[in-house]
Amino acid sequence: MTLKASLYFAKSLIFPRAEKNSTARKSLYGAVICIGLSIIPLVAVISITNGMIKGMTERIIGLSSSHLEMRVAGGIEETKTAANFEKYAASFEKIGGIKTAYPEVTLSALALGKNIRSGAYIRGVQNDIFKKNESFKTLFEVIEGDTSALESGGNTAIIGKKMAESLGLKTGDTFRIITTKKAGTAIVPKMTAFKVGAVISSGYQELDQLWVFIPLKTFFRSFSMTNADFNVLLETDDAFSPRLIALQRAVKNEAGRFANVYRWDQVNASRFENFSSTKVMLVFIMMMIVLVASINISSAIVMLVLERRREIAILKSVGASPRGISLSFMLTGLFCGFSGLCIGLPLGLLITLYSNQLIRGLESLVNLFTDLHLMDPAYYLQTIPVEIPVKELIIVCMGTLLLSLLVSVIPAVKAGKEKPLEALK
């Protein structure tokens, strides 16, 4: 039996001229629909999780750890004053591959609003950081006020949206930062007043809910440096470049024994492991759904073999080989998988492209009966960055076709082993 004959027989199995209302054929078309419906959530999950992880990663790298984070020891000459620290940070820009270096001093403190207190993470930064740093310009959304207020220096602060809501603050309001200082041998609280210059949001509340940005010089002037952390955030051409490890060594050699240098993936290792494990589990569950749906192909082909036993017997009587018969049924199973992909892939991509609108619409519908935020910024990004992972979708397509072929093998081989005499009797 030639390949052309096998293809012709497979075509007659899928698109028959007679017996179009047979039970086996209905099962075959049902299997196609099941494959299509299982592919839709798989494509949507892969695309949406990729976009979410990429969006979160961009914010963590750009707004928190940068590409390389250098942690400098306190008490040395380079960290005694704001001017010294800025000069020290700028010296690392001469290293090939380092684009910019941002000095930053951080301190955990207590923020006091009108009637409520909240933990705060104070970040002393350069006055023009919101103009100079590309990530700050693009990833932060200004909710109220103007970030240029930080350039005036003084006791001006820019706070996160969640903190503003928690403390009941708006632009122009005054709040207090409570830290500690030494008074002789005793440690006593120190209260410093700041004016809210702007309220910002990164769209990812877990990241920015405690951030308070103040001018670097104000930080040195207002707080005790005993418990402060001195960091230099270094940007390169590409955070994902293989050269990042070599640059890490070069910066460490330049910094000497008074500093340690870490890559962004080392600083945030636990977060990224969590992202990866969550994505793997979601994809695994979706693949199980595809596997279950593909079993329908096997069942449909078994029924098709039973219905076409007489036709198989006639073909074998006139010289058709068992291998040729088996190939026809395997091609039928492969066609089911391909047809399911043609249904599921475009619908999955369509859901991905309009995922933000669909979630907002569903949220509005649910909120008619209860107060629910499907995209709570405390856990997710407020807006899903849409990204189509072409390589992963190609793997999904190839895997679905292979799975469709594999589940067709056993019933197809049995069809090839059918004995003509028994069937014709």
Side-chain angles (χ1 to χ4, degrees):
M1 190 173 183
T2 63
L3 177 61
K4 185 178 179 180
S6 295
L7 288 170
Y8 186 82
F9 183 43
K11 180 184 176 183
S12 71
L13 293 172
I14 301 164
F15 305 108
R17 293 183 180 179
E19 299 180 6
K20 293 185 179 181
N21 295 320
S22 71
T23 305
R25 196 152 292 102
K26 288 178 182 178
S27 298
L28 206 64
Y29 297 153
V32 170
I33 294 170
C34 287
I35 290 288
L37 291 176
S38 66
I39 291 294
I40 292 171
L42 178 59
V43 171
V45 163
I46 290 175
S47 302
I48 289 172
T49 52
N50 269 21
M52 292 288 285
I53 290 171
K54 183 181 178 183
M56 291 176 183
T57 303
E58 278 182 352
R59 282 158 176 78
I60 289 169
I61 296 173
L63 306 178
S64 180
S65 65
S66 197
H67 302 181
L68 294 171
E69 181 177 320
M70 184 169 65
R71 297 173 183 175
V72 187
I76 61 175
E77 188 63 33
E78 288 82 353
T79 58
K80 280 188 177 180
T81 66
N84 285 2
F85 194 39
E86 285 186 289
K87 185 178 178 182
Y88 175 68
S91 68
F92 291 94
E93 293 180 0
K94 67 184 180 183
I95 298 173
I98 300 296
K99 287 173 62 180
T100 49
Y102 303 103
E104 183 177 297
V105 189
T106 59
L107 180 69
S108 295
L110 195 64
L112 177 62
K114 295 176 181 178
N115 298 307
I116 303 172
R117 294 178 182 180
S118 170
Y121 188 67
I122 317 301
R123 297 179 64 177
V125 295
Q126 291 174 304
N127 295 23
D128 59 349
I129 188 76
F130 284 89
K131 287 185 178 179
K132 185 179 177 183
N133 189 309
E134 208 54 47
S135 297
F136 276 57
K137 282 197 295 184
T138 56
L139 298 178
F140 273 129
E141 178 190 356
V142 180
I143 308 299
E144 287 182 33
D146 190 348
T147 54
S148 61
L150 204 68
E151 296 177 31
S152 62
N155 285 24
T156 302
I158 293 175
I159 64 174
K161 179 184 174 183
K162 176 63 177 175
M163 178 170 285
E165 291 173 354
S166 300
L167 299 180
L169 298 174
K170 294 183 179 180
T171 304
D173 289 349
T174 299
F175 70 104
R176 291 167 177 78
I177 298 293
I178 303 172
T179 54
T180 58
K181 66 175 181 178
K182 275 192 175 183
T185 56
I187 297 176
V188 297
K190 180 185 178 183
M191 194 175 292
T192 311
F194 286 89
K195 183 180 179 182
V196 179
V199 177
I200 57 173
S201 172
S202 68
Y204 185 28
Q205 186 177 295
E206 184 185 333
L207 192 66
D208 65 12
Q209 60 182 332
L210 301 177
W211 285 349
V212 176
F213 294 94
I214 65 171
L216 190 64
K217 291 178 181 177
T218 303
F219 192 106
F220 274 85
R221 186 180 66 248
S222 304
F223 304 128
S224 169
M225 295 292 108
T226 307
N227 298 319
D229 294 317
F230 300 88
N231 305 310
V232 177
L233 306 180
L234 304 162
E235 277 193 359
T236 65
D237 292 320
D238 182 9
F240 301 92
S241 171
R243 285 192 61 216
L244 199 62
I245 297 173
L247 285 171
Q248 181 186 14
R249 293 197 198 99
V251 172
K252 174 59 183 171
N253 292 336
E254 181 70 22
R257 62 190 180 93
F258 293 110
N260 289 316
V261 185
Y262 302 92
R263 299 188 308 276
W264 63 269
D265 55 334
Q266 292 175 317
V267 176
N268 303 286
S270 58
R271 269 180 177 158
F272 295 115
E273 283 175 12
N274 184 35
F275 292 161
S276 299
S277 60
T278 302
K279 180 185 174 182
V280 168
M281 282 304 299
L282 286 170
V283 172
F284 176 75
I285 292 168
M286 293 300 108
M287 282 303 297
M288 289 299 100
I289 295 172
V290 176
L291 178 61
V292 171
S294 66
I295 300 300
N296 291 325
I297 295 176
S298 183
S299 302
I301 291 177
V302 168
M303 294 180 69
L304 195 62
V305 170
L306 292 173
E307 278 194 359
R308 306 303 282 270
R309 286 186 71 195
R310 191 174 297 177
E311 193 172 334
I312 293 167
I314 294 169
L315 287 171
K316 293 190 79 172
S317 299
V318 296
S321 65
R323 188 175 294 177
I325 297 291
S326 297
L327 179 60
S328 296
F329 283 95
M330 288 173 68
L331 289 171
T332 303
L334 188 64
F335 175 81
C336 288
F338 178 77
S339 300
L341 277 173
C342 290
I343 295 170
L345 188 61
L347 288 176
L349 291 174
L350 196 65
I351 288 172
T352 300
L353 293 171
Y354 293 96
S355 55
N356 288 298
Q357 291 88 333
L358 288 170
I359 288 170
R360 296 289 176 260
L362 185 60
E363 193 175 80
S364 300
L365 184 64
V366 171
N367 285 341
L368 293 173
F369 309 99
T370 182
D371 186 23
L372 178 68
H373 297 286
L374 297 177
M375 293 301 293
D376 192 331
Y379 311 104
Y380 310 103
L381 293 176
Q382 287 175 303
T383 303
I384 299 171
V386 176
E387 180 180 286
I388 306 300
V390 178
K391 289 182 180 178
E392 292 183 28
L393 291 182
I394 290 173
I395 292 171
V396 167
C397 293
M398 298 301 292
T400 303
L401 293 175
L402 181 62
L403 196 58
S404 302
L405 192 62
L406 289 175
V407 297
S408 307
V409 169
I410 294 175
V413 169
K414 286 184 177 180
K417 291 181 179 179
E418 284 284 341
K419 296 179 179 180
L421 188 61
E422 290 182 7
L424 290 172
K425 281 181 180 180

